[in-house]
Amino acid sequence: MSGVGAQAVTGALLGALAGDCLGAPWEGRHAVTRKRARARVRRALERPVLAYTDDTQLTLALIDHLVGDTDRVEPAQLARRMLARYDDRRGYGAGMRRLVALWRDGWDVDDAATAVFPDGSFGNGAAMRVAPVGLRWAGDHDVITHVAERSARPTHVHPVGIDGAVVQAHAVAVAASTGAFGRDELAALPAATDELRAGLQAAASLPSTVTAAEAARALGTAPIAHRSVPAALWCAATCEDLEHAIVTAVALGGDTDTIAAMAGAVRGAADGPASLPPGWSHVLEGHDDVVEAARRLAGSLDDGTGDRT
Ligand code: F2R
Ligand code: MG
Ligand code: MG
C-alpha cells in the first residue's frame, strides 16, 4: 500500500491537468524559445476556460476503475470505464478512435488491442494516463510495474507502449514518495526496452542549458512512448518548478499537451498542489472534478483494506 499523502496525489493530478490544458492549444507546433513559450502560456491563461483533452479524460477513467471496480486492474473493465468517459471532441488519436469503434461493436478487448496495429500501439496514451498507478503503489516497485503494465493493456500491448507507462508510473511514484525528482531520480528509473533505456540515458545526460529545439531533436516530441516520455521527464527533472516544466514542454513543440501533462504529473507529485501558480485553477476545465478524483484516490490509499495487489 502506498505511503504517499493526499498532497502528493492532488499535486500530481493537478499538475497533469495543468500540463494538458496549457499544452493542448500548442499541440503539433515547432519548437520555440522558452521566452516565446512563456508568452504562449500567458496568452492561454487569458482565455475564460482551457479545455482538457484525452490525457485527462483517460486519467479520470483509470481512477474510476481503481477506486470503483478493482485496483488489480482488469483490462476489460478498464476499457468500459474509458468508454463511459469517452468524448470524441477531446483530441484522441486516430488509432484510439478506431479502437473505441471496435469496443462499441462488441469486440473482445484483447483482440481489439492488436486490430489497429498488429504488434499493438507504442503510442504514449498508456503513459499519459498512468499517474494514479504510481501514486497508488508508491514504494512498491514490483506492484507498480505489474499494475502499470495491466493498465496499458486495453489500448497499448506493444512492449514500448507498455514500457512508457511503467517508466512514467515509477517516475510519479518516486516524486510522490520522496518529494524530489532530479537527474539522479531520472537516471535510476527502470526501463525494460532498448527504446526507453536509450531515451532515459539521453534525457539524464542532456544539459538544462540546451535550446528547446536542441532538446526536441535529442529526445523527440512525437506521440509515441519512447519519443515523449524521456522529454517529459527531462522537463520535470531539470526545471525548478511546475510552471517552468510546463513552459519548457510547450517550448519543445510537438505533442505538447501530453509531454506537459506527464512532466506536470511528476513535478506536481514532488511539489504538491501549492505549486500550481495563483490564477491557474479557475481557468483549468475540470479542476474541481480532478480535485474530487484526487480525494477519492487518496481516500482509497488508507481505507485499511490491506494487501491491494
Ligand atoms: N493524437 C493526439 N493529437 C493529434 C490529433 C488531435 C487532433 N487535433 C484532433 O483534435 O483530433 N493526441 C492524443 O494522442 C496521443 C496518445 O495517443 P495514443 O492514445 O497512444 O493513440 P495511438 O493512436 O495508439 O498512438 C499514437 C500514434 O502513434 C503511432 N503509432 C503507435 N503505435 C504504432 C505502431 N505499432 N506502428 C506505427 N505507428 C504507431 C501512430 O501514429 C498513432 O496514431 C496523445 O498525444 C494524446 O494527446
Ligand atoms: Mg491529448
Ligand atoms: Mg497529446
Side-chain angles (χ1 to χ4, degrees):
M1 189 182 295
S2 170
V4 308
Q7 295 292 301
V9 175
T10 309
L13 297 180
L14 284 180
L17 174 71
D20 184 16
C21 292
L22 286 162
W26 318 108
E27 197 180 8
R29 306 286 183 96
H30 293 300
V32 294
T33 62
R34 289 173 179 80
K35 186 175 171 196
R36 190 142 171 225
R38 199 166 295 113
R40 282 184 171 178
V41 166
R42 257 202 311 272
R43 219 161 53 245
L45 286 163
E46 286 166 6
R47 298 181 187 192
V49 63
L50 277 169
Y52 64 73
T53 77
D54 55 337
D55 304 49
T56 298
Q57 200 152 66
L58 292 175
T59 303
L60 291 172
L62 179 54
I63 294 173
D64 292 342
H65 178 59
L66 294 176
V67 175
D69 298 330
T70 167
D71 60 8
R72 286 156 205 264
V73 178
E74 292 302 332
Q77 281 185 346
L78 175 54
R80 276 196 287 279
R81 291 288 188 175
M82 291 178 181
L83 262 185
R85 290 231 179 222
Y86 184 77
D87 173 354
D88 207 34
R89 297 162 301 180
R90 295 287 178 181
Y92 284 84
M96 185 65 193
R97 290 203 298 271
R98 281 158 63 196
L99 192 57
V100 163
L102 297 177
W103 289 346
R104 284 182 169 157
D105 282 349
W107 275 54
D108 175 82
V109 167
D110 288 339
D111 295 342
T114 50
V116 179
F117 299 108
D119 297 333
S121 170
F122 49 74
N124 54 13
M128 76 190 182
R129 66 175 182 247
V130 81
V133 172
L135 298 165
R136 184 76 187 77
W137 285 280
D140 207 335
H141 185 279
D142 293 349
V143 177
I144 290 176
T145 302
H146 175 70
V147 180
E149 222 181 287
R150 286 178 70 78
S151 78
R153 293 220 162 258
T155 52
H156 295 75
V157 293
H158 191 288
V160 171
I162 292 173
D163 203 22
V166 172
V167 166
Q168 172 68 10
H170 280 291
V172 170
V174 167
S177 56
T178 65
F181 191 82
R183 273 184 203 283
D184 291 347
E185 287 78 14
L186 168 51
L189 289 171
T193 60
D194 290 344
E195 289 86 345
L196 261 299
R197 247 193 309 273
L200 292 182
Q201 266 169 22
S205 59
L206 189 70
S208 56
T209 48
V210 296
T211 66
E214 286 165 343
R217 261 194 306 279
L219 305 176
T221 60
I224 53 179
H226 52 303
R227 298 295 283 168
S228 59
V229 173
L233 297 178
W234 178 77
C235 292
T238 60
C239 294
E240 67 267 30
D241 59 26
L242 177 67
E243 182 172 4
H244 286 95
I246 289 176
V247 165
T248 302
V250 168
L252 295 183
D255 193 2
T256 44
D257 65 328
T258 303
I259 294 173
M262 294 190 292
V266 174
R267 269 283 38 108
D271 303 338
S275 62
L276 207 71
W280 282 26
S281 58
H282 70 279
V283 189
L284 305 177
E285 184 198 15
H287 175 274
D288 294 354
D289 292 342
V290 166
V291 170
E292 169 58 17
R295 194 195 58 73
R296 283 190 289 136
L297 183 64
S300 76
L301 301 184
D302 52 17
D303 63 3
T305 54
D307 180 15
R308 304 193 139 267
T309 62

